[in-house]
C-alpha cells in the first residue's frame, strides 16, 4: 500500500474506532437489495472488532498512518438530498475520454449518470449498480481481496452505489468503460467499489477516475476487483486527481 503523489496520507486513527459514526445500523440503512444491505451490516459489525494499523508495523513505518482522525469524517447520509447533476469539471473529464462503451458518473458515492452502448448490451455487456445485482454476486465480491483488514471491511460496510461490470465470454468491447467518481461533500467518507468480471476470451478496458475540488476535505477508500477468466484481456487504468486535503487508501 503506497502513498501516491498528491495524497496527504493514509487513513487511520489513534485509539478506538468511533462506532457512533460507522455503525451496523448506518451501514444497513443504505439502499439496495436485501443481500447487499445484509452484507454491509455484517461488515460493519466486523469493522468494530478490528484494530487499525499504526506506523509501528513495518508496512506503515514510512507513512502518516497515525495522523488522521477518523472522527472527522462521516458516511453519506442516505436521507440527505443527493447532488444529482454532473459538475463542469466532470464534464471536461468525460469529453477528454472520447469514445466509450459505457459511462458511469458517481457524485459522493451515488450514481448520477449511467449510459451503456445499446449494441453491446444486446451482446451481454452489463454495467449496473452493485446494489441492484442478483444475490449470486455476493459470493463473488471479495474473492480478489487478499487483505481483509479494517480498510477493505469499511468499504464493504459503506459502499453506496458500487459498480458491477460484466463482459460475457468471447465479447470484445472496443472502446473503454469510463467510471468517474467526483467527491465534493465536505467531511465525507466515500467508499467506491468496482467489480469487473470478464468471461473466457473477453476483451475490455476500464478507466477509473477519482477526483475532487482542490479544497474539499474527504476520505476516499476504494476497492477494485478484477475477475479475469482464461484467455480474457482486461486493461485497467486508475487516475487520481483528488485535492491535497483528501486522504485515500485503496486496493
Amino acid at each position: 500500500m503506497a502513498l501516491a503523489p498528491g495524497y496527504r496520507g493514509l487513513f487511520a486513527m489513534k485509539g478506538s474506532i468511533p462506532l457512533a459514526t460507522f455503525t451496523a445500523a448506518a451501514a444497513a440503512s443504505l439502499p439496495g437489495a436485501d443481500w447487499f444491505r445484509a452484507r454491509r451490516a455484517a461488515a460493519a459489525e466486523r469493522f468494530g472488532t478490528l484494530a487499525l494499523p499504526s506506523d509501528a508495523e513495518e508496512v506503515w513505518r514510512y507513512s502518516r498512518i497515525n495522523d488522521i482522525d477518523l472522527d472527522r469524517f462521516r458516511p453519506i447520509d442516505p436521507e440527505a438530498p443527493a447532488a444529482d447533476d454532473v459538475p463542469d469539471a466532470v464534464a471536461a473529464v468525460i469529453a477528454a475520454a472520447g469514445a466509450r462503451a459505457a459511462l458511469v458518473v458517481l457524485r459522493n458515492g451515488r450514481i448520477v449518470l449511467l449510459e451503456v452502448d445499446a449494441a453491446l448490451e444486446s451482446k451481454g455487456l452489463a454495467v449496473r449498480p452493485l446494489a441492484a445485482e442478483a444475490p449470486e454476486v455476493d459470493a463473488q465480491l471479495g474473492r480478489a481481496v487478499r487483505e481483509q483488514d479494517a480498510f477493505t471491511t469499511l468499504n464493504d460496510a459503506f459502499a453506496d452505489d458500487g459498480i458491477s461490470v460484466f463482459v460475457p465470454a468471447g465479447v470484445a468491447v472496443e472502446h473503454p468503460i469510463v467510471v468517474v467518481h467526483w467527491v465534493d461533500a465536505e467531511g465525507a467518507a466515500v467508499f467506491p467499489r468496482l467489480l469487473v468480471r470478464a468471461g473466457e476470451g473477453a476483451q475490455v478496458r476500464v478507466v477509473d477516475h477519482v477526483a475532487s475540488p482542490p479544497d474539499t476535505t474527504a476520505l476516499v477508500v476504494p476497492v477494485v476487483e478484477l475477475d479475469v477468466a482464461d484467455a480474457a484481456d482486461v486493461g485497467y487504468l486508475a487516475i487520481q486527481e483528488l485535492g491535497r486535503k483528501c486522504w485515500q487508501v485503496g486496493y
Side-chain angles (χ1 to χ4, degrees), residues 80-156:
D84 58 1
D85 59 323
V86 177
D88 291 343
V90 176
V93 171
I94 295 170
R100 54 190 178 267
L103 170 66
V104 187
V105 177
L106 300 97
R107 189 168 185 179
N108 300 318
R110 296 175 178 174
I111 295 173
V112 298
L113 179 64
L114 196 161
E115 301 173 345
V116 185
D117 182 272
L120 289 169
E121 275 192 312
S122 69
K123 295 180 180 181
L125 173 66
V127 181
R128 52 193 173 217
L130 269 175
E133 284 281 21
E136 290 75 16
V137 174
D138 188 15
Q140 298 174 353
L141 275 173
R143 291 197 307 176
V145 178
R146 297 183 179 180
E147 290 193 59
Q148 293 286 355
D149 65 1
F151 300 122
T152 53
T153 304
L154 194 61
N155 178 285
D156 233 359

Side-chain angles (χ1 to χ4, degrees), residues 10 39 51 54 57 70 111 130 132 148 150 163 216-217 224 235 248:
L10 298 174
R39 181 186 181 92
S54 75
E57 301 171 55
L70 194 55
I111 295 173
L130 269 175
Q148 293 286 355
I163 301 300
T216 297
T217 299
V224 177
Q248 174 172 318

Side-chain angles (χ1 to χ4, degrees), residues 167-170 198-203 227-234:
V167 186
E200 187 172 349
Q203 298 178 32
D227 188 348
V228 184
D230 290 344
D233 181 3
V234 174

